[in-house]
Amino acid sequence: MTKRIAYVELKTSQQTSPVPEHLIAPGYAVDLVQTEIRVTPVDAADLLLSDVAYGEAAMRAARNGYDGVLIGGVPDYGLAAVRATTDIPVVGSGEASLLAAAALGEKFSIVTIWPETMDFVYDRLLRDNPIGRQCISVRYVSTHAEQSTLAEDDNFLTQMKAGREHMIERILAEIELAVQDGAKSVILGCNCMSPVAEILAARSSVPIVDPTTAGYRQLETMIALGLRPARDPRMSLSERADLFAEMVQAADLSLGAGQEDCPVCVLHDDGTASCDLPASVPAEV
């Protein structure tokens, strides 16, 4: 019988999972499960809302009979909460990447396409995982000023996904600075960087950890081994999944269900978004 895996991602117009077909072993199938709302983690408040949105989507996937769930965001939005509500394996792309990098060498770095204003999401990831102490630096490719271009068809994010040479060189430059910091391997700091992971790996002087690959491979292995989340036998599963669904429904009504699709938007200093959409549109972190 085919084992079904849910890849949880922000709500967009995308219809298929970003897990490459060549990664999926025979007997497994991957479906895209999207959040019901779109939110930009520009500060701690929106980071918490991202946790709720991802958490609800993952809980929904578990309720719908999937054999495992992969959180498709390096910050591992809602990971601990989801694990408290289900007995199926739930893997975070960020946590899986940290484990993979630590297995390659004592010290590693994160290189992300996003600017330093997003540092708090990486700070939390490293703080929440003891192995995060082995991360010696986080390096940021883009600048805060560049984010105002994200509403344009041709911007640093689309250029990166298309493998444009100047963006590849910018990322490689930060990777080599991470190597100078002492990193023995480098984690790509966003699942959106996965399309260029092989290009970067071929030209980097150290191993490159792709969060999509690391997360998916770990999840598939856990399912194959029949492993389940460890928990205190005195504690029953949380029954709050329905409450998460109600919270997301309320947030959807408040934010506006008719928002246009947008690959990513961020807030300006005056509180407006980069493409004149509501400030709740998503960042692909």
Side-chain angles (χ1 to χ4, degrees):
M1 181 179 294
T2 299
K3 299 292 186 180
R4 299 168 60 232
I5 291 175
Y7 182 97
V8 175
E9 191 174 68
L10 278 170
K11 181 180 181 180
T12 67
S13 59
Q14 181 173 321
Q15 299 297 315
T16 59
S17 164
V19 177
E21 287 292 332
H22 72 269
L23 288 181
I24 304 172
Y28 291 84
V30 183
D31 294 330
L32 180 65
V33 175
Q34 296 188 333
T35 63
E36 294 290 345
I37 59 174
R38 302 193 303 270
V39 58
T40 305
V42 295
D43 54 31
D46 281 338
L47 178 58
L48 179 57
L49 189 53
S50 297
D51 289 332
V52 173
Y54 271 80
E56 185 280 326
M59 293 173 195
R60 178 169 16 105
R63 190 167 55 246
N64 288 337
Y66 283 91
D67 296 288
V69 175
L70 176 59
I71 304 296
V74 170
D76 290 345
Y77 304 113
L79 179 60
V82 179
R83 286 176 173 167
T85 66
T86 180
D87 273 330
I88 66 171
V90 182
V91 169
S93 298
E95 182 181 70
S97 297
L98 295 179
L99 292 170
L104 296 172
E106 183 179 355
K107 300 176 181 179
F108 57 84
S109 292
I110 297 173
V111 172
T112 179
I113 191 66
W114 301 109
E116 194 171 2
T117 49
M118 299 294 293
D119 61 353
F120 62 97
V121 300
Y122 300 102
D123 289 344
R124 186 183 74 167
L125 174 70
L126 298 173
R127 184 174 62 247
D128 287 354
N129 291 274
I131 209 165
R133 291 192 293 267
Q134 294 177 225
C135 181
I136 58 174
S137 63
V138 181
R139 292 198 161 270
Y140 304 87
V141 174
S142 65
T143 66
H144 180 65
E146 282 182 293
Q147 294 205 30
S148 63
T149 68
L150 286 168
E152 302 171 7
D153 291 336
D154 189 32
N155 58 67
F156 70 90
L157 183 63
T158 59
Q159 291 166 5
M160 177 202 68
K161 289 182 176 181
R164 297 271 285 275
E165 181 61 23
H166 73 284
M167 286 306 305
I168 296 298
E169 290 178 354
R170 286 180 64 179
I171 298 170
L172 286 169
E174 294 300 328
I175 289 173
E176 292 311 311
L177 288 173
V179 174
Q180 293 178 28
D181 294 334
K184 304 303 181 185
S185 64
V186 167
I187 297 170
L188 300 183
C190 181
N191 292 62
C192 68
M193 300 175 74
S194 294
V196 295
E198 291 187 5
I199 297 173
L200 296 171
R203 297 170 60 178
S204 171
S205 63
V206 295
I208 299 297
V209 178
D210 167 32
T212 300
T213 300
Y216 179 75
R217 287 298 194 192
Q218 185 185 103
L219 178 57
E220 197 177 83
T221 299
M222 291 178 68
I223 294 172
L225 293 174
L227 298 177
R228 296 290 183 267
R231 63 181 74 260
D232 189 327
R234 297 168 296 180
M235 300 293 293
S236 59
L237 287 175
S238 171
E239 298 179 354
R240 298 298 191 190
D242 289 342
L243 179 58
F244 271 73
E246 292 174 4
M247 292 167 64
V248 168
Q249 289 172 8
D252 193 23
L253 289 173
S254 176
L255 295 171
Q259 297 174 72
E260 297 178 33
D261 285 325
C262 179
V264 62
C265 288
V266 293
L267 293 176
H268 299 311
D269 292 338
D270 63 0
T272 60
S274 62
C275 56
D276 298 324
L277 291 179
S280 54
V281 288
E284 294 182 68
V285 179

